[in-house]
């Protein structure tokens, strides 16, 4: 039986005491930050065997250093709505770890954004970025601004105000934000426009996920979703399985979901369901992606409208119900903690064979343990969804050398990166006698790379 904390009981007491003491400090120093506690706890419990084998990490107190952001910025974002009223939101940027390169990570605009969400995402980003093999540190940012129902001019004024402060803290060699929930090419355009105006310089590499008309990279829009499926494909292949002919459920209907669906369909899978935060659609004939793209990317409307054009499909309120649909493969691509113990049990009961986390931390700790105990193939977020930030790093390379690669050139590099991430995770898990546990593998491979570099750079 595999469990999340397989080797935890075997490690020496002193190592365990060190890990427990760091974990306790994180809980005490960051009260009420549940998502951050979860992300830190999940990492700490899988890297204990690494500390046992390499006491230098304890001697250098790497854990206590790595859980503390290098910098956390919080700021006021005032803006004027279309009725002339002054609105105020809170903006954030965490610059978590720059051992491997400039801070890199997305911006999330969603009313749920707070210190805990930003810190959990920034913490995950450190190890994800390390796994890509690209020279990028870990950061994250965003705002509790809710883009839903806002006009285009409100979005623009908000982005301009947000950047008025953020510009003081970022730069192509300092910190390079990109998109996340609620932030796509439109928002990146307004953010870049304001940055350019403030600096009086065309520093294309300060943001990634840019539109193609202002130095964006081909295949960045598709990268997270495609990368998720490339990772899945590699994981299935390693276990003599194939996507062709499988039934797939994908949560969300945003950037990651749409391009995960597109690649899964292209490789012969039937995607029968997707969702938004209001509910989900089930189309037993297979989702019509053209309709989803138009509804979500062009009209920016609700997924419920799908059934008006596809009367055979069924719409159900309560997005979490999507996990009761029988499927071979589940791709959670919406948000954190969307698959809990109950949803995991449902998926296992219905015969799911593989899970790949397209979203960040979409499965709870309990859900992951259920998948591992039941020998379900499980790809963890920091490895599976790393394709987005990997292509962001490729966008930075193109910007700094003033070249523009073809879609195919970027796609080929993305595929190679995802394949390498998969095999690095497998090897790290094997090395620590936890074969097949890619949660441990991803954490160990990402952690050792960052920790070794921190040691090389000294105590700074
Ligand atoms: P989008 O804003 O494009 O889409 C998000 C989707 O998830 C929407 O369908 C949204 O529905 C749904 N959603 C958001 N919040 C909730 C919620 N609380 N409950 C249920 N559904 C929700 O974001 P992305 O596709 O970019 O991001 C999705 C996930 O992937 C996030 O976890 C993000 O951190 C992660 N990710 C994104 C990357 C990227 O390159 N964009 C890279 C790596 C990870 P609604 O419209 O109703 O809000
Ligand atoms: O979670 C993520 O990796 C992202 N939102 C993408 C970050 C990036 O810099 O492209």
């Amino acid at each position: 039986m595999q469990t999340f904390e397989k080797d935890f009981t075997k490690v020496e007491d002193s190592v365990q005491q060190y890990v427990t003491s760091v974990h306790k400090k994180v809980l005490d120093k960051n009260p009420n930050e549940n998502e951050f506690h979860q992300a830190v706890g999940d990492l700490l419990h899988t890297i204990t065997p690494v500390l046992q084998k390499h006491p230098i990490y304890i001697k250098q107190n790497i854990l206590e250093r790595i859980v503390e952001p290098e910098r956390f910025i919080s700021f006021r974002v005032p803006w004027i709505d279309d009725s002339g009223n002054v609105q105020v939101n809170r903006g954030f940027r965490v610059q978590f770890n720059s051992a491997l390169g400039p801070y890199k990570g997305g911006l999330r605009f969603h009313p749920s954004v707070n210190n805990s969400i930003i810190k959990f995402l920034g913490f995950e980003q450190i190890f994800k970025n390390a796994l890509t093999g690209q020279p990028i540190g870990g950061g994250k940012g965003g705002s509790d601004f809710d883009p839903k129902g806002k006009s285009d001019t409100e979005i623009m004024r908000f982005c301009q105000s947000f950047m008025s402060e953020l510009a003081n803290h970022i730069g192509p060699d300092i910190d390079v934000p990109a998109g996340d929930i609620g932030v796509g090419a439109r928002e990146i355009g307004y953010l870049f426009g304001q940055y350019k105006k403030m600096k009086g310089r065309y520093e294309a590499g300060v943001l990634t996920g840019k539109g193609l008309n202002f130095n964006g990279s081909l295949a960045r829009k598709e990268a997270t979703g495609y990368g998720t499926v490339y990772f899945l494909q590699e994981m299935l292949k390693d276990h003599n399985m194939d996507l062709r002919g499988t039934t797939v459920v994908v949560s969300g209907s945003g950037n990651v979901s749409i391009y995960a669906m597109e690649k899964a369909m292209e490789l012969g899978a039937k995607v029968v369901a997707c969702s938004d935060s209001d509910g989900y659609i089930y189309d037993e004939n297979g989702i019509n992606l053209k309709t989803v793209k138009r509804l979500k990317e062009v009209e920016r409307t609700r997924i419920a409208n799908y059934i008006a054009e596809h009367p055979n499909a069924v719409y159900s309120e309560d997005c979490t119900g999507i996990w009761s649909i029988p499927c071979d493969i589940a791709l959670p691509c919406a948000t954190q903690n969307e698959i809990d113990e109950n949803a995991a049990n449902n998926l296992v009961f219905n015969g799911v064979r593989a899970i790949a986390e397209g979203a960040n931390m979409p499965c709870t700790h309990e859900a992951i343990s259920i998948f591992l105990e039941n020998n379900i193939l499980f790809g963890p977020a920091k490895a599976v969804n790393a394709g987005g930030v990997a292509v962001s790093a490729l966008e930075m390379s193109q910007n700094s050398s003033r070249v523009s690669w073809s879609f195919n050139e970027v796609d080929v590099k993305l595929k190679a990166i995802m394949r390498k991430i998969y095999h690095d995770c497998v090897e790290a898990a094997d090395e620590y006698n936890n074969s097949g546990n890619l949660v441990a593998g991803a954490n160990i491979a990402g952690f050792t790379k960052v920790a070794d570099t921190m040691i090389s750079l000294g105590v700074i």
Side-chain angles (χ1 to χ4, degrees), residues 7 54 64 273 317 363 393 455:
D7 287 326
H54 302 284
E64 222 177 309
E317 280 178 3
C363 297
I455 291 171

Side-chain angles (χ1 to χ4, degrees), residues 62-81:
I62 291 293
L63 289 194
E64 222 177 309
R65 289 158 64 188
I66 222 164
V67 297
E68 190 66 32
E70 289 176 20
R71 200 167 295 104
F72 186 88
I73 303 148
S74 164
F75 50 97
R76 179 172 69 197
V77 189
W79 57 280
I80 299 176
D81 68 20

Side-chain angles (χ1 to χ4, degrees), residues 376-417:
I376 311 294
L377 299 182
F378 184 83
K382 56 173 78 70
V384 169
N385 72 37
V389 75
V391 172
S392 275
L394 300 181
E395 184 172 330
M396 290 165 70
S397 299
Q398 292 171 80
N399 293 158
S400 59
S401 51
R402 296 176 188 275
V403 295
S404 185
W405 296 330
S406 70
F407 189 98
N408 190 51
E409 278 174 294
V410 180
D411 193 35
V412 165
K413 289 182 203 298
L414 169 64
K415 234 180 254 175
I417 290 170

Side-chain angles (χ1 to χ4, degrees), residues 135-272:
I136 42 179
K140 198 82 189 191
S143 173
D144 58 2
F145 172 73
D146 186 358
K148 278 204 196 79
K150 301 292 190 296
S151 70
D152 195 66
T153 48
E154 287 177 324
I155 299 280
M156 183 177 69
R157 284 195 295 272
F158 175 80
C159 287
Q160 290 173 340
S161 178
F162 184 84
M163 184 52 85
S164 300
E165 174 59 33
L166 189 68
N168 296 319
H169 310 284
I170 62 174
D173 296 315
I174 302 170
D175 182 355
V176 182
D180 194 81
I181 290 178
V183 178
R186 173 181 62 165
E187 291 73 21
I188 295 292
Y190 296 146
L191 292 164
F192 182 67
Q194 180 72 2
Y195 180 87
K196 184 175 82 60
K197 178 176 166 145
M198 290 172 68
K199 298 282 165 171
R201 298 159 69 100
Y202 206 103
E203 292 178 356
V206 70
L207 290 166
T208 60
K210 298 183 292 294
L212 298 177
N213 50 345
F214 56 102
N215 288 270
S217 173
L218 285 160
R220 173 61 188 90
K221 182 176 68 176
E222 292 82 359
T224 313
Y226 280 20
T228 295
V229 176
Y230 294 150
F231 186 99
L232 170 71
Q233 208 183 5
E234 206 60 29
M235 182 166 74
L236 292 175
K237 196 172 79 187
D238 214 14
H239 294 82
N240 300 315
M241 292 184 221
D242 186 18
L243 254 178
R244 191 159 294 281
T246 57
T247 299
V248 178
V249 167
V250 182
S251 64
S253 49
N255 174 262
V256 180
S257 319
I258 285 176
Y259 293 96
M261 290 195 265
E262 182 165 281
K263 186 51 75 177
M265 288 174 184
E266 195 186 306
L267 295 173
K270 182 160 89 164
V271 180
V272 294

Side-chain angles (χ1 to χ4, degrees), residues 2 131 230-239 377-380 383-384 417-446:
Q2 278 183 351
L131 287 171
Y230 294 150
F231 186 99
L232 170 71
Q233 208 183 5
E234 206 60 29
M235 182 166 74
L236 292 175
K237 196 172 79 187
D238 214 14
H239 294 82
L377 299 182
F378 184 83
V384 169
I417 290 170
M418 296 314 298
R419 200 174 301 132
K420 180 162 182 353
I421 292 176
Y422 174 76
H423 291 286
D424 285 352
C425 294
V426 169
E427 276 168 31
D430 287 348
E431 190 186 337
Y432 287 90
N433 301 319
N434 215 341
S435 290
N437 185 336
L438 299 181
V439 177
N443 285 341
I444 292 167

